[in-house]
Amino acid sequence: MGGKVTSVEEWLDLTPEEVAVLDMTIRLGEELKARRRQKRLSQERVAMILNTSQGRVSKLEKGQATLDQLARSLLALGGSTKEVARAIAG
């Protein structure tokens, strides 16, 4: 390497668009986690609702999924399209 890196984005050579998508997925994951906690649901219970595994729910909450998967998961837990849009917008 040898050069000075000033940010993670620069180090990973991410475009502004890629950074924006990563930010949106993280926000949706955080919103999913907040909704789960608000409803007092365990990750196991959410996994049953979403027909997936607890480990997958953990990854969803960390934003390790596509925007589509995260939005559909949030909607399945009773979130509205406005809440999804608000989370995406930050």
Side-chain angles (χ1 to χ4, degrees), residues 12-51:
L12 295 174
D13 196 28
L14 298 175
T15 66
E17 295 80 12
E18 290 168 326
V19 172
V21 170
L22 286 173
D23 287 343
M24 287 185 271
T25 59
I26 290 167
R27 286 193 299 269
L28 279 174
E30 290 170 347
E31 185 65 27
L32 181 65
K33 185 176 186 176
R35 173 148 303 263
R36 176 181 63 80
R37 287 184 169 175
Q38 177 189 34
K39 291 180 157 268
R40 298 173 192 229
L41 299 172
S42 65
Q43 287 184 342
E44 292 83 3
R45 179 67 184 127
V46 171
M48 289 176 61
I49 293 167
L50 300 178
N51 195 29

Short mmCIF file of all heavy atoms in Angstrom, two decimals, residues 12-51:
data_model
loop_
_atom_site.label_atom_id
_atom_site.label_comp_id
_atom_site.label_asym_id
_atom_site.label_seq_id
_atom_site.Cartn_x
_atom_site.Cartn_y
_atom_site.Cartn_z
N LEU A 12 -11.48 1.16 1.00
CA LEU A 12 -12.21 0.11 0.30
C LEU A 12 -12.53 0.48 -1.14
O LEU A 12 -13.12 -0.31 -1.86
CB LEU A 12 -13.52 -0.20 1.05
CG LEU A 12 -13.35 -0.81 2.44
CD1 LEU A 12 -14.70 -0.94 3.13
CD2 LEU A 12 -12.65 -2.15 2.36
N ASP A 13 -12.15 1.68 -1.52
CA ASP A 13 -12.39 2.17 -2.89
C ASP A 13 -13.88 2.14 -3.24
O ASP A 13 -14.28 1.66 -4.30
CB ASP A 13 -11.58 1.36 -3.90
CG ASP A 13 -11.48 2.05 -5.25
OD1 ASP A 13 -11.55 3.29 -5.29
OD2 ASP A 13 -11.36 1.34 -6.27
N LEU A 14 -14.70 2.67 -2.31
CA LEU A 14 -16.15 2.71 -2.52
C LEU A 14 -16.56 4.01 -3.21
O LEU A 14 -16.02 5.07 -2.92
CB LEU A 14 -16.88 2.62 -1.18
CG LEU A 14 -16.66 1.34 -0.37
CD1 LEU A 14 -17.35 1.44 0.98
CD2 LEU A 14 -17.15 0.12 -1.13
N THR A 15 -17.53 3.88 -4.08
CA THR A 15 -18.09 5.07 -4.71
C THR A 15 -19.06 5.72 -3.74
O THR A 15 -19.54 5.07 -2.79
CB THR A 15 -18.86 4.70 -5.99
OG1 THR A 15 -20.01 3.92 -5.62
CG2 THR A 15 -17.99 3.94 -6.98
N PRO A 16 -19.40 6.98 -3.95
CA PRO A 16 -20.39 7.63 -3.09
C PRO A 16 -21.73 6.87 -3.09
O PRO A 16 -22.41 6.81 -2.07
CB PRO A 16 -20.54 9.03 -3.71
CG PRO A 16 -19.23 9.28 -4.37
CD PRO A 16 -18.79 7.93 -4.89
N GLU A 17 -22.08 6.29 -4.22
CA GLU A 17 -23.33 5.52 -4.31
C GLU A 17 -23.27 4.27 -3.43
O GLU A 17 -24.24 3.93 -2.75
CB GLU A 17 -23.63 5.13 -5.76
CG GLU A 17 -23.90 6.30 -6.67
CD GLU A 17 -22.63 7.02 -7.16
OE1 GLU A 17 -21.50 6.49 -6.98
OE2 GLU A 17 -22.78 8.11 -7.73
N GLU A 18 -22.13 3.59 -3.44
CA GLU A 18 -21.98 2.40 -2.61
C GLU A 18 -22.03 2.75 -1.13
O GLU A 18 -22.62 2.03 -0.33
CB GLU A 18 -20.66 1.69 -2.95
CG GLU A 18 -20.66 1.03 -4.31
CD GLU A 18 -19.28 0.59 -4.77
OE1 GLU A 18 -18.28 1.26 -4.47
OE2 GLU A 18 -19.23 -0.47 -5.44
N VAL A 19 -21.42 3.86 -0.77
CA VAL A 19 -21.47 4.32 0.62
C VAL A 19 -22.91 4.63 1.02
O VAL A 19 -23.36 4.26 2.11
CB VAL A 19 -20.57 5.56 0.82
CG1 VAL A 19 -20.76 6.17 2.20
CG2 VAL A 19 -19.11 5.19 0.59
N ALA A 20 -23.66 5.28 0.14
CA ALA A 20 -25.06 5.61 0.42
C ALA A 20 -25.89 4.35 0.64
O ALA A 20 -26.70 4.28 1.57
CB ALA A 20 -25.65 6.45 -0.70
N VAL A 21 -25.70 3.34 -0.20
CA VAL A 21 -26.45 2.09 -0.04
C VAL A 21 -26.07 1.41 1.27
O VAL A 21 -26.95 0.91 1.99
CB VAL A 21 -26.24 1.16 -1.25
CG1 VAL A 21 -26.80 -0.23 -0.99
CG2 VAL A 21 -26.87 1.75 -2.50
N LEU A 22 -24.80 1.37 1.60
CA LEU A 22 -24.37 0.78 2.87
C LEU A 22 -25.01 1.51 4.05
O LEU A 22 -25.49 0.87 4.99
CB LEU A 22 -22.85 0.80 3.00
CG LEU A 22 -22.10 -0.20 2.14
CD1 LEU A 22 -20.60 0.03 2.24
CD2 LEU A 22 -22.44 -1.62 2.55
N ASP A 23 -25.03 2.82 4.00
CA ASP A 23 -25.66 3.61 5.06
C ASP A 23 -27.14 3.27 5.18
O ASP A 23 -27.67 3.12 6.29
CB ASP A 23 -25.49 5.11 4.81
CG ASP A 23 -24.07 5.60 5.07
OD1 ASP A 23 -23.29 4.88 5.74
OD2 ASP A 23 -23.76 6.71 4.60
N MET A 24 -27.83 3.14 4.06
CA MET A 24 -29.26 2.82 4.08
C MET A 24 -29.50 1.44 4.68
O MET A 24 -30.43 1.26 5.47
CB MET A 24 -29.85 2.90 2.68
CG MET A 24 -30.02 4.32 2.16
SD MET A 24 -30.85 4.37 0.56
CE MET A 24 -29.46 4.25 -0.55
N THR A 25 -28.67 0.46 4.32
CA THR A 25 -28.89 -0.89 4.85
C THR A 25 -28.64 -0.92 6.36
O THR A 25 -29.38 -1.57 7.09
CB THR A 25 -28.00 -1.93 4.15
OG1 THR A 25 -26.63 -1.61 4.31
CG2 THR A 25 -28.35 -2.07 2.68
N ILE A 26 -27.66 -0.18 6.80
CA ILE A 26 -27.39 -0.12 8.24
C ILE A 26 -28.57 0.52 8.97
O ILE A 26 -29.02 0.02 10.01
CB ILE A 26 -26.07 0.62 8.52
CG1 ILE A 26 -24.89 -0.24 8.06
CG2 ILE A 26 -25.95 0.98 10.00
CD1 ILE A 26 -23.57 0.49 8.00
N ARG A 27 -29.10 1.62 8.43
CA ARG A 27 -30.24 2.28 9.07
C ARG A 27 -31.48 1.38 9.10
O ARG A 27 -32.19 1.33 10.09
CB ARG A 27 -30.55 3.60 8.37
CG ARG A 27 -29.54 4.70 8.70
CD ARG A 27 -30.02 6.07 8.27
NE ARG A 27 -30.25 6.18 6.84
CZ ARG A 27 -29.33 6.58 5.96
NH1 ARG A 27 -28.12 6.89 6.36
NH2 ARG A 27 -29.62 6.67 4.67
N LEU A 28 -31.73 0.65 8.00
CA LEU A 28 -32.88 -0.26 7.99
C LEU A 28 -32.68 -1.39 9.00
O LEU A 28 -33.64 -1.80 9.67
CB LEU A 28 -33.11 -0.84 6.59
CG LEU A 28 -33.87 0.05 5.63
CD1 LEU A 28 -33.90 -0.58 4.23
CD2 LEU A 28 -35.28 0.31 6.11
N GLY A 29 -31.48 -1.89 9.12
CA GLY A 29 -31.20 -2.92 10.12
C GLY A 29 -31.43 -2.42 11.53
O GLY A 29 -32.01 -3.12 12.37
N GLU A 30 -30.99 -1.20 11.78
CA GLU A 30 -31.21 -0.60 13.11
C GLU A 30 -32.71 -0.40 13.38
O GLU A 30 -33.18 -0.62 14.50
CB GLU A 30 -30.47 0.73 13.21
CG GLU A 30 -28.96 0.56 13.26
CD GLU A 30 -28.19 1.86 13.12
OE1 GLU A 30 -28.80 2.90 12.73
OE2 GLU A 30 -26.98 1.85 13.38
N GLU A 31 -33.45 0.00 12.35
CA GLU A 31 -34.90 0.18 12.49
C GLU A 31 -35.58 -1.16 12.76
O GLU A 31 -36.50 -1.25 13.57
CB GLU A 31 -35.47 0.83 11.24
CG GLU A 31 -36.94 1.17 11.33
CD GLU A 31 -37.28 2.22 12.37
OE1 GLU A 31 -36.41 3.06 12.69
OE2 GLU A 31 -38.42 2.20 12.87
N LEU A 32 -35.13 -2.20 12.10
CA LEU A 32 -35.69 -3.54 12.32
C LEU A 32 -35.45 -3.98 13.76
O LEU A 32 -36.36 -4.48 14.43
CB LEU A 32 -35.06 -4.53 11.34
CG LEU A 32 -35.56 -5.97 11.42
CD1 LEU A 32 -37.02 -6.06 11.03
CD2 LEU A 32 -34.71 -6.86 10.52
N LYS A 33 -34.25 -3.76 14.24
CA LYS A 33 -33.92 -4.12 15.63
C LYS A 33 -34.77 -3.31 16.61
O LYS A 33 -35.29 -3.86 17.59
CB LYS A 33 -32.43 -3.87 15.89
CG LYS A 33 -31.96 -4.31 17.24
CD LYS A 33 -30.46 -4.12 17.36
CE LYS A 33 -29.92 -4.67 18.65
NZ LYS A 33 -28.45 -4.55 18.69
N ALA A 34 -34.91 -2.03 16.35
CA ALA A 34 -35.72 -1.17 17.23
C ALA A 34 -37.18 -1.63 17.25
O ALA A 34 -37.81 -1.68 18.31
CB ALA A 34 -35.63 0.28 16.78
N ARG A 35 -37.73 -1.99 16.09
CA ARG A 35 -39.12 -2.46 16.02
C ARG A 35 -39.26 -3.78 16.78
O ARG A 35 -40.22 -3.98 17.49
CB ARG A 35 -39.57 -2.64 14.58
CG ARG A 35 -40.95 -3.30 14.52
CD ARG A 35 -41.78 -2.88 13.36
NE ARG A 35 -42.01 -1.49 13.25
CZ ARG A 35 -43.13 -0.89 13.69
NH1 ARG A 35 -44.07 -1.55 14.29
NH2 ARG A 35 -43.29 0.40 13.50
N ARG A 36 -38.29 -4.67 16.62
CA ARG A 36 -38.34 -5.95 17.34
C ARG A 36 -38.36 -5.71 18.84
O ARG A 36 -39.16 -6.28 19.57
CB ARG A 36 -37.13 -6.82 16.96
CG ARG A 36 -37.08 -8.12 17.77
CD ARG A 36 -35.89 -8.98 17.42
NE ARG A 36 -34.59 -8.39 17.69
CZ ARG A 36 -34.01 -8.36 18.89
NH1 ARG A 36 -34.63 -8.84 19.96
NH2 ARG A 36 -32.81 -7.83 19.04
N ARG A 37 -37.49 -4.83 19.30
CA ARG A 37 -37.42 -4.54 20.74
C ARG A 37 -38.68 -3.84 21.22
O ARG A 37 -39.16 -4.13 22.32
CB ARG A 37 -36.18 -3.71 21.04
CG ARG A 37 -34.91 -4.52 20.93
CD ARG A 37 -33.71 -3.71 21.32
NE ARG A 37 -32.54 -4.57 21.46
CZ ARG A 37 -31.33 -4.12 21.69
NH1 ARG A 37 -31.11 -2.83 21.82
NH2 ARG A 37 -30.33 -4.96 21.80
N GLN A 38 -39.20 -2.93 20.41
CA GLN A 38 -40.44 -2.23 20.76
C GLN A 38 -41.58 -3.22 20.95
O GLN A 38 -42.40 -3.08 21.85
CB GLN A 38 -40.79 -1.22 19.66
CG GLN A 38 -42.09 -0.49 19.88
CD GLN A 38 -42.48 0.34 18.67
OE1 GLN A 38 -42.22 -0.05 17.53
NE2 GLN A 38 -43.12 1.46 18.90
N LYS A 39 -41.61 -4.25 20.11
CA LYS A 39 -42.66 -5.26 20.19
C LYS A 39 -42.31 -6.36 21.21
O LYS A 39 -43.08 -7.30 21.40
CB LYS A 39 -42.89 -5.90 18.82
CG LYS A 39 -43.53 -4.97 17.82
CD LYS A 39 -43.70 -5.68 16.49
CE LYS A 39 -44.79 -5.05 15.68
NZ LYS A 39 -46.08 -5.64 15.87
N ARG A 40 -41.14 -6.22 21.83
CA ARG A 40 -40.67 -7.18 22.84
C ARG A 40 -40.60 -8.60 22.29
O ARG A 40 -41.03 -9.55 22.92
CB ARG A 40 -41.51 -7.11 24.09
CG ARG A 40 -41.44 -5.75 24.74
CD ARG A 40 -42.39 -5.62 25.87
NE ARG A 40 -42.44 -4.20 26.22
CZ ARG A 40 -42.33 -3.75 27.46
NH1 ARG A 40 -42.17 -4.57 28.44
NH2 ARG A 40 -42.39 -2.46 27.68
N LEU A 41 -40.03 -8.70 21.09
CA LEU A 41 -39.88 -9.98 20.43
C LEU A 41 -38.42 -10.41 20.47
O LEU A 41 -37.52 -9.57 20.36
CB LEU A 41 -40.32 -9.90 18.96
CG LEU A 41 -41.78 -9.52 18.69
CD1 LEU A 41 -41.99 -9.28 17.21
CD2 LEU A 41 -42.70 -10.60 19.21
N SER A 42 -38.20 -11.68 20.61
CA SER A 42 -36.84 -12.22 20.53
C SER A 42 -36.48 -12.38 19.05
O SER A 42 -37.35 -12.39 18.18
CB SER A 42 -36.78 -13.59 21.21
OG SER A 42 -37.58 -14.52 20.50
N GLN A 43 -35.20 -12.52 18.81
CA GLN A 43 -34.78 -12.80 17.44
C GLN A 43 -35.35 -14.13 16.97
O GLN A 43 -35.68 -14.27 15.80
CB GLN A 43 -33.25 -12.82 17.34
CG GLN A 43 -32.62 -11.45 17.41
CD GLN A 43 -31.12 -11.48 17.21
OE1 GLN A 43 -30.48 -12.53 17.34
NE2 GLN A 43 -30.55 -10.33 16.90
N GLU A 44 -35.49 -15.08 17.88
CA GLU A 44 -36.07 -16.37 17.52
C GLU A 44 -37.52 -16.21 17.05
O GLU A 44 -37.93 -16.83 16.07
CB GLU A 44 -36.00 -17.35 18.70
CG GLU A 44 -34.60 -17.77 19.06
CD GLU A 44 -33.86 -16.78 19.97
OE1 GLU A 44 -34.46 -15.76 20.40
OE2 GLU A 44 -32.67 -17.02 20.24
N ARG A 45 -38.29 -15.38 17.75
CA ARG A 45 -39.68 -15.16 17.37
C ARG A 45 -39.76 -14.45 16.01
O ARG A 45 -40.59 -14.79 15.17
CB ARG A 45 -40.42 -14.36 18.45
CG ARG A 45 -41.85 -14.08 18.13
CD ARG A 45 -42.68 -15.36 18.12
NE ARG A 45 -44.03 -15.05 17.71
CZ ARG A 45 -44.68 -15.65 16.73
NH1 ARG A 45 -44.13 -16.66 16.09
NH2 ARG A 45 -45.89 -15.28 16.41
N VAL A 46 -38.91 -13.47 15.81
CA VAL A 46 -38.90 -12.76 14.53
C VAL A 46 -38.51 -13.74 13.42
O VAL A 46 -39.08 -13.70 12.33
CB VAL A 46 -37.94 -11.55 14.56
CG1 VAL A 46 -37.76 -10.95 13.18
CG2 VAL A 46 -38.48 -10.50 15.53
N ALA A 47 -37.59 -14.63 13.70
CA ALA A 47 -37.19 -15.64 12.71
C ALA A 47 -38.39 -16.48 12.31
O ALA A 47 -38.58 -16.79 11.12
CB ALA A 47 -36.08 -16.52 13.27
N MET A 48 -39.22 -16.83 13.26
CA MET A 48 -40.43 -17.60 12.95
C MET A 48 -41.38 -16.79 12.06
O MET A 48 -41.93 -17.31 11.09
CB MET A 48 -41.14 -18.04 14.23
CG MET A 48 -40.38 -19.10 15.01
SD MET A 48 -41.15 -19.52 16.59
CE MET A 48 -42.72 -20.14 16.04
N ILE A 49 -41.54 -15.52 12.39
CA ILE A 49 -42.43 -14.64 11.61
C ILE A 49 -41.92 -14.51 10.17
O ILE A 49 -42.70 -14.54 9.22
CB ILE A 49 -42.55 -13.26 12.28
CG1 ILE A 49 -43.28 -13.38 13.62
CG2 ILE A 49 -43.24 -12.26 11.36
CD1 ILE A 49 -43.18 -12.15 14.50
N LEU A 50 -40.61 -14.37 10.04
CA LEU A 50 -40.00 -14.17 8.72
C LEU A 50 -39.67 -15.48 8.00
O LEU A 50 -39.18 -15.45 6.88
CB LEU A 50 -38.72 -13.33 8.85
CG LEU A 50 -38.87 -11.93 9.45
CD1 LEU A 50 -37.51 -11.26 9.55
CD2 LEU A 50 -39.83 -11.09 8.63
N ASN A 51 -39.92 -16.59 8.69
CA ASN A 51 -39.62 -17.90 8.12
C ASN A 51 -38.13 -18.02 7.76
O ASN A 51 -37.76 -18.37 6.63
CB ASN A 51 -40.51 -18.20 6.91
CG ASN A 51 -40.48 -19.67 6.53
OD1 ASN A 51 -40.27 -20.53 7.38
ND2 ASN A 51 -40.66 -19.95 5.25
#
